[in-house]
Amino acid sequence: MQYPEPIAKLIDSYTKLPGIGPKTATRLAFYTLGMNEEDVQDFSKALISAKTDLTFCSICGNITATDTDPCVICRDQSRDQSTVFVVENSRDVMAMENTRDYHGLYHVLNGVISPSAGTGPEDINLPSLIRRLSEHEEIKEVIVGTNANAEGEATAMYLARLLKPAGIAVTRLAHGLAVGSDIDYADELTLIKAVQGRTKL
Amino acid sequence: MQYPEPIAKLIDSYTKLPGIGPKTATRLAFYTLGMNEEDVQDFSKALISAKTDLTFCSICGNITATDTDPCVICRDQSRDQSTVFVVENSRDVMAMENTRDYHGLYHVLNGVISPSAGTGPEDINLPSLIRRLSEHEEIKEVIVGTNANAEGEATAMYLARLLKPAGIAVTRLAHGLAVGSDIDYADELTLIKAVQGRTKL
């Protein structure tokens, strides 16, 4: 037996989301039926709006409203124009901005170099970084903030090799113990990195 | 810092779904941006359609397309008209139908009697069951298929007390070991019920 078409279609749509299987999708669909009209209308509009009213900043690749390109960060002349923080996606920008401790610019790769997935430097937002660096000589440092996994490391290595000859300082986020964590719970690689990166007191 | 409004709104909508917190909602929203246009359009339409094109069957309370009331099960004269299976929601109907072993009718309560939540018999689709039983004398048995928890049991007890004097057989689904399960993993209550409900070989 099949559910009536309107709910079957909604279950189908929910199932397309990552990490949501048929059981959860069914639960969500029935929950949607019980939601108030306005919330469902808003949800429906937000889906379309997210697809049509957003774009990637033409300078840094961060996500931005279509009517705000370049993005608010690239427009902000009060920010330190000499440092570019390279990240994998817009969520990383948000995480960094929430620290309120970094005041430079960003460059969002919207991906990562991954030989195993066949993603090369040309497939991500990297050529525009090279162009940006050559056009803006005021940029003195590139901080590579890709994730601390194989792909992130590969991307960092690639950037370092490419940019160092151009006289730009390329730095990488420190690896080590998370603040508040216990040494006996840290994995071995992290512990090795923490020792290698030890600092003078 | 805030995300651009179009994505912030979408994150907000996802957060309203049960079991989805801000982190997951953000992940889903960014995933949505990468989905193809058509899937997002379908999703958006399905949300509205589920709210507008569905209703509860005027006979049994099961969910049905607005243009198919009474529902397909109530319309089906080939089904056994003498048995009504009472369940809490439409998902239970689906679970039962998928067994292909039951060929009678259903009655969906769309809720359950719960003194702790202040839900009484009048707050769920129960009065219509009483009316239905009095109008259709061909109904000889009511199988109570509410969940095997406190509220489900309370609802079953209520139905039994109400319907028995009217000469209708009221039965309850068996409690016992799930097929394929191990006795040593069964909880004590289930094991007690399984012994009480033991059958002759």
Side-chain angles (χ1 to χ4, degrees):
Chain A
M1 194 202 171
Q2 291 287 312
Y3 281 113
E5 198 184 318
I7 192 146
K9 278 190 173 171
L10 184 56
I11 293 172
D12 199 45
S13 285
Y14 274 126
T15 313
K16 285 183 180 148
L17 297 174
I20 295 185
K23 284 265 174 189
T24 308
T26 306
R27 197 165 55 90
L28 292 178
F30 274 95
Y31 181 85
T32 309
L33 296 186
M35 277 168 70
N36 75 54
E37 194 80 30
E38 205 190 320
D39 283 347
V40 176
Q41 291 270 4
D42 286 349
F43 192 179
S44 173
K45 280 185 210 146
L47 282 166
I48 299 296
S49 167
K51 278 300 273 189
T52 54
D53 301 339
L54 286 173
T55 186
F56 294 111
C57 171
S58 54
I59 295 177
C60 74
N62 192 8
I63 200 155
T64 184
T66 311
D67 56 8
T68 319
D69 181 19
C71 72
V72 284
I73 295 177
C74 288
R75 281 170 190 230
D76 187 351
Q77 290 298 323
S78 73
R79 298 187 75 110
D80 174 7
Q81 306 287 317
S82 70
T83 316
V84 171
F85 198 107
V86 178
V87 292
E88 292 182 21
N89 59 52
S90 296
R91 276 163 291 173
D92 300 334
V93 173
M94 188 59 62
M96 202 57 212
E97 282 296 285
N98 286 340
T99 66
R100 296 164 194 272
D101 197 50
Y102 175 73
H103 306 288
L105 303 172
Y106 290 93
H107 199 87
V108 184
L109 298 178
N110 288 312
V112 71
I113 296 174
S114 168
S116 65
T119 315
E122 302 291 321
D123 301 317
I124 58 178
N125 191 28
L126 216 153
S128 72
L129 173 63
I130 312 300
R131 216 177 314 124
R132 191 176 172 191
L133 293 174
S134 66
E135 284 169 9
H136 295 272
E137 293 200 342
E138 66 272 23
I139 301 175
K140 301 295 179 209
E141 181 179 358
V142 168
I143 305 173
V144 185
T146 50
N147 288 332
N149 51 29
E151 287 87 1
E153 291 298 331
T155 310
M157 285 303 138
Y158 180 88
L159 279 171
R161 249 179 251 171
L162 195 75
L163 303 179
K164 264 186 198 163
I168 299 167
V170 182
T171 55
R172 179 97 176 98
L173 290 185
H175 292 311
L177 300 169
V179 176
S181 67
D182 286 359
I183 288 180
D184 54 347
Y185 281 111
D187 66 289
E188 286 137 31
L189 261 177
T190 301
L191 218 45
I192 291 170
K193 291 276 189 183
V195 173
Q196 287 172 350
R198 66 192 182 279
T199 53
K200 262 199 177 149
L201 291 178
Chain B
M1 193 201 171
Q2 291 287 312
Y3 281 113
E5 198 185 317
I7 192 146
K9 277 190 173 172
L10 184 57
I11 293 172
D12 199 45
S13 285
Y14 274 126
T15 313
K16 285 184 180 148
L17 297 174
I20 294 184
K23 283 265 174 188
T24 308
T26 306
R27 196 165 56 89
L28 292 179
F30 274 95
Y31 181 85
T32 309
L33 296 186
M35 278 167 69
N36 75 54
E37 194 81 30
E38 205 189 320
D39 283 347
V40 177
Q41 291 271 5
D42 285 349
F43 192 0
S44 173
K45 280 184 210 147
L47 282 165
I48 299 296
S49 167
K51 279 299 273 188
T52 55
D53 301 339
L54 286 173
T55 187
F56 294 111
C57 171
S58 54
I59 295 177
C60 74
N62 192 9
I63 201 156
T64 184
T66 311
D67 55 8
T68 318
D69 181 19
C71 72
V72 284
I73 295 177
C74 288
R75 281 171 189 229
D76 187 350
Q77 290 299 322
S78 73
R79 298 186 76 109
D80 174 8
Q81 306 287 318
S82 70
T83 316
V84 171
F85 198 108
V86 178
V87 293
E88 292 182 21
N89 59 54
S90 297
R91 277 163 290 174
D92 300 334
V93 173
M94 188 59 62
M96 202 58 212
E97 283 296 285
N98 286 341
T99 66
R100 295 165 195 270
D101 197 49
Y102 175 73
H103 307 288
L105 303 172
Y106 291 94
H107 199 87
V108 183
L109 298 178
N110 287 311
V112 71
I113 296 175
S114 168
S116 65
T119 315
E122 302 290 321
D123 302 318
I124 58 178
N125 190 28
L126 214 153
S128 72
L129 173 62
I130 312 300
R131 216 177 315 123
R132 190 177 173 190
L133 293 174
S134 67
E135 284 168 9
H136 295 272
E137 293 199 342
E138 67 272 23
I139 301 175
K140 301 296 178 208
E141 181 178 358
V142 168
I143 305 173
V144 185
T146 50
N147 287 332
N149 52 28
E151 288 87 1
E153 291 298 331
T155 310
M157 284 302 137
Y158 180 89
L159 279 171
R161 251 179 250 170
L162 194 77
L163 302 180
K164 265 186 197 162
I168 298 167
V170 182
T171 55
R172 180 96 176 97
L173 290 185
H175 292 311
L177 300 169
V179 176
S181 67
D182 286 0
I183 288 180
D184 55 346
Y185 281 111
D187 66 289
E188 286 137 31
L189 261 177
T190 301
L191 217 46
I192 291 171
K193 291 275 190 185
V195 173
Q196 286 171 351
R198 67 191 182 279
T199 53
K200 265 201 175 145
L201 290 178

